[in-house]
Amino acid sequence: MHDLLSLLPPGTPMFVGGLLLLLLPRRRHAASGVTAAGAAAVVLVVLDYLHLLSLPVGTVVTVEALGYTLTPLRVDRLALVWGHVFHLAALVAALFALHVGDRWGGRRQQAAAMMYAGAAIGAVFAGDFATLFLYWELTAITSVVLIWAPEEGNRDRDERTCFRAGMRYLLIQVTSGVVLLAGVLLRLADAGAGRVDAENPLSFGALASGDIFEASLATQLIFWAFGIKAAFPLLHNWLQDAYPKATSTGSVFLSAFTTKMAIYALARAFAGVDLLIPLGVAMTAFPIFYAVIVNDLRRVLSYSLNNQLGFMCVGVGIGTELALNGAAAHAFAHILYKSLLFQAVGAVIYRVGTAKATELGGLYRTMPWTTAFCIVGSVSISAFPLTSGFVTKSMIVSAAAEEHLTWVFLALLFASAGVLEHSGIKIPYFAFFAHDSGQRPREAPWHMLLAMGLTATGCLALGIFPGLVYGLLPFEVDYVPYTALHVVTQLQLLLFAAAAFPVLLWLGVYPAEKRAINLDVDWLYRRAAPAVFARLGAMVQAGWSRLGDAWGSAARRLRAGLDASVGPQGFFGRTWTVGQITIWSAVMLTVYLVVEFLWSLASV
């Protein structure tokens, strides 16, 4: 039995358990359903994590199918980094979501969350593209439920906007899968034609480095499929569109898995691709300008998430051992502190009903623990010393410096300062301090506080004992984060950025919080595209109407002509005299005889 379990890909128990959660009996009282579903989710995560710990590095399970070798399970150090943190993220998110009701909507959300986490974990340990594609699409199908699921008391959501956001999210996620499938099929075709020298073209491993545009079309399609889920520039707005529309618990799950799964795929297949460096730099920079003006704090966190993904893309693009270690470590740390921030804002939504900065403030008086945990997440994402962000983000910045990428180094420093402005300060300030909204909600429920406490402890533990994450990284770590130069430089940068916030507020330069919808690239498909299609539709309708009018006019003229010819008063329809009939009969007989004579002459 133990041998059979060791062959089971991690994540499978969670996925199957998610399906079983749907079968839990309904209860009249919510507590029984919540306890059953929540306990089941926690047990599933723990059991799956214990199973992962029993799998040694180097474990590979292969299956022969349709002439190809499939690898549903591959355990190596790169996969283990994401495997460990995905399990931890699923555990704290399951604890945070214990309050979700036992009605069909609540159980559906809990089941989808477990299946989503299980599919993401399965993708991390997939060793071939067929298995990866299966999990890739399962994450899309299961995660959209977290956007569509109902939630009582959240005034920021309504069914119509959530449905539309979910449809846009699903369309983009499925498109990523279709592009991935097209790339894999082209790769198989290249292998059949001898253009790919590989024993197993379905093997999910390193595909390209250097200039991605010199790679095959199949490889480029796979790269861009990963890029869609990684929220590359101009492909990113599904993230800011969908995550704020999810339930307060659903956004905690969403923040952990989809985009980091894509970063893992890039690290696995495209380490050292040069294009990832400018793409990553752009991702770190442009979200800053949007995050400081949006009113929805979950939308702020979504832009911040995009910013942090940029650091990871830069690390993968640099491709050195230090940079890849930094990307993996930063993904680990980011999942924890971003989950913590989404949990804090989710707790506010649960008690107050909104995440709009204009309607919050002064909550620290009655929600002190939530405030404290939010501050821990804020200083962690800002990379303050003794927090997880400090010991992981610095690896990527140092890797850029070692490779003499001066402009990248300076851009990452700028982005680090910007993170402090929109996530390190704006989130806790406008949610818990700022103006007094007059609201005095109760503290978050115990299970939310427990989930936030565990996550905050992880953020601090990694910062104080960096060996906890360094020991998991794919390469040997020869890096010391706590040097005098690094600590002093980072503190100077952060203190300068922190000092700028009150000065900007005092001068009135800092953007005021307004009730507005802020669009960036999604303006193209949420405003421009509908307007263009509406215009095209109007033009087609007008053209069709003109064509119909012309057809009707021509039909009327034809009818009038026929009436004039064969109608009751027409030339052929009126009554003829005997003499007229005789004359026309003679004419027709003459014409017939002439034609017959000419035909006989031609046939001689």
Side-chain angles (χ1 to χ4, degrees):
M1 185 65 178
H2 181 270
D3 293 337
L4 291 176
L5 289 176
S6 66
L7 301 178
L8 191 68
T12 304
M14 266 193 278
F15 190 89
V16 175
L19 292 173
L20 295 178
L21 287 180
L22 294 175
L23 304 179
L24 286 176
R26 294 190 184 186
R27 301 289 184 182
R28 184 170 298 179
H29 300 289
S32 60
V34 170
T35 302
V42 172
V43 168
L44 287 171
V45 175
V46 172
L47 289 179
D48 197 49
Y49 189 57
L50 293 176
H51 167 233
L52 172 64
L53 294 177
S54 68
L55 295 174
V57 175
T59 300
V60 176
V61 176
T62 59
V63 177
E64 297 295 329
L66 300 177
Y68 296 102
T69 301
L70 304 182
T71 311
L73 174 60
R74 175 188 55 198
V75 181
D76 60 13
R77 293 183 65 86
L78 183 65
L80 282 174
V81 176
W82 271 264
H84 286 306
V85 72
F86 275 3
H87 279 87
L88 295 177
L91 175 61
V92 295
L95 286 173
F96 186 80
L98 282 180
H99 66 282
V100 176
D102 68 332
R103 293 177 299 174
W104 168 244
R107 290 190 295 124
R108 179 180 60 190
Q109 185 181 169
Q110 291 171 323
M114 284 296 99
M115 289 188 285
Y116 172 43
I121 293 170
V124 166
F125 291 96
D128 65 88
F129 281 111
T131 305
L132 177 69
F133 172 76
L134 173 65
Y135 288 123
W136 200 262
E137 292 295 73
L138 284 175
T139 58
I141 296 170
T142 53
S143 60
V144 74
V145 178
L146 304 177
I147 302 171
W148 287 337
E151 183 179 23
E152 296 181 0
N154 188 344
R155 303 195 305 271
D156 296 341
R157 305 176 76 241
D158 66 77
E159 291 187 3
R160 188 173 70 171
T161 58
C162 291
F163 176 76
R164 290 179 176 178
M167 288 300 297
R168 291 190 293 266
Y169 170 86
L170 186 61
L171 175 63
I172 293 172
Q173 297 300 306
V174 171
T175 299
S176 172
V178 171
V179 175
L180 174 60
L181 179 61
V184 173
L185 293 177
L186 281 178
R187 182 171 171 80
L188 291 176
D190 290 343
R195 291 187 292 269
V196 174
D197 184 17
E199 294 183 4
N200 182 14
L202 285 178
S203 178
F204 178 30
L207 295 182
S209 62
D211 189 355
I212 186 63
F213 297 108
E214 293 181 355
S216 65
L217 177 60
T219 300
Q220 292 186 48
L221 287 175
I222 294 173
F223 175 81
W224 291 111
F226 294 166
I228 292 173
K229 277 193 186 289
F232 280 179
L234 305 183
L235 303 174
H236 68 281
N237 249 123
W238 60 267
L239 197 160
Q240 290 83 17
D241 179 24
Y243 282 20
K245 298 297 189 300
T247 64
S248 56
T249 57
S251 61
V252 177
F253 280 95
L254 288 170
S255 69
F257 297 110
T258 297
T259 51
K260 264 65 71 180
M261 181 181 67
I263 295 297
Y264 165 79
L266 290 170
R268 171 72 66 185
F270 296 103
V273 168
D274 297 334
L275 183 61
L276 285 172
I277 299 176
L279 286 176
V281 169
M283 291 167 69
T284 64
F286 78 82
I288 296 173
F289 302 99
Y290 285 97
V292 297
I293 64 174
V294 294
N295 187 34
D296 190 327
L297 295 184
R298 288 200 295 176
R299 192 168 169 86
V300 174
L301 290 177
S302 299
Y303 276 113
S304 173
L305 197 159
N306 215 164
N307 162 276
Q308 297 296 292
L309 293 172
F311 282 91
M312 302 172 211
C313 284
V314 169
V316 175
I318 294 174
T320 62
E321 290 188 0
L322 177 60
L324 290 174
N325 275 341
H330 197 52
F332 194 106
H334 173 261
I335 288 173
L336 293 182
Y337 60 63
K338 185 61 67 176
S339 174
L340 177 56
L341 289 170
F342 270 103
Q343 288 176 54
V345 175
V348 170
I349 293 174
Y350 181 71
R351 287 306 192 199
V352 181
T354 183
K356 297 292 192 296
T358 50
E359 301 178 32
L360 299 175
L363 302 185
Y364 73 93
R365 292 179 172 86
T366 54
M367 301 183 72
W369 284 105
T370 303
T371 304
F373 293 140
C374 182
I375 291 174
V376 171
S378 297
V379 296
S380 296
I381 195 174
S382 303
F384 269 89
L386 301 181
T387 65
S388 56
F390 179 81
V391 302
T392 60
K393 187 184 297 183
S394 60
M395 299 179 76
I396 301 173
V397 177
S398 298
E402 286 189 1
E403 296 302 308
H404 306 290
L405 301 173
T406 305
W407 69 276
V408 177
F409 176 79
L410 295 176
L412 295 183
L413 288 182
F414 166 76
S416 297
V419 171
L420 178 65
E421 295 294 338
H422 61 69
S423 289
I425 297 178
K426 179 173 181 174
I427 295 295
Y429 177 75
F430 285 104
F432 300 101
F433 302 99
H435 60 278
D436 187 357
S437 63
Q439 302 177 88
R440 298 294 184 267
R442 290 181 296 164
E443 181 58 277
W446 68 268
H447 62 89
M448 288 187 174
L449 294 178
L450 178 59
M452 288 188 283
L454 291 173
T455 314
T457 301
C459 292
L460 296 176
L462 294 182
I464 299 172
F465 306 105
L468 293 174
V469 65
Y470 288 177
L472 299 174
L473 299 180
F475 304 103
E476 290 295 326
V477 178
D478 183 18
Y479 178 76
V480 180
Y482 288 105
T483 63
L485 177 62
H486 180 210
V487 172
V488 171
T489 302
Q490 185 70 5
L491 285 176
Q492 287 178 333
L493 177 69
L494 294 174
L495 291 176
F496 177 79
F501 182 79
V503 172
L504 293 175
L505 283 178
W506 179 67
L507 293 176
V509 177
Y510 193 88
E513 304 306 305
K514 298 180 180 179
R515 295 179 176 87
I517 298 176
N518 303 96
L519 303 178
D520 54 86
V521 177
D522 55 340
W523 176 86
L524 293 174
Y525 60 82
R526 295 183 63 180
R527 293 291 186 270
V532 169
F533 284 120
R535 179 62 177 169
L536 289 176
M539 292 172 61
V540 171
Q541 182 66 29
W544 186 258
S545 177
R546 286 194 293 269
L547 180 62
D549 292 343
W551 176 262
S553 177
R556 287 190 294 272
R557 288 195 298 270
L558 177 62
R559 181 175 180 178
L562 292 174
D563 285 343
S565 301
V566 299
Q569 303 301 321
F571 178 75
F572 294 103
R574 67 174 179 261
T575 302
W576 287 10
T577 64
V578 174
Q580 290 174 324
I581 293 175
T582 303
I583 292 173
W584 278 107
S585 297
V587 169
M588 292 178 64
L589 179 61
T590 302
V591 171
Y592 174 77
L593 292 173
V594 171
V595 170
E596 182 66 21
F597 175 73
L598 294 176
W599 179 261
S600 63
L601 290 178
S603 60
V604 173

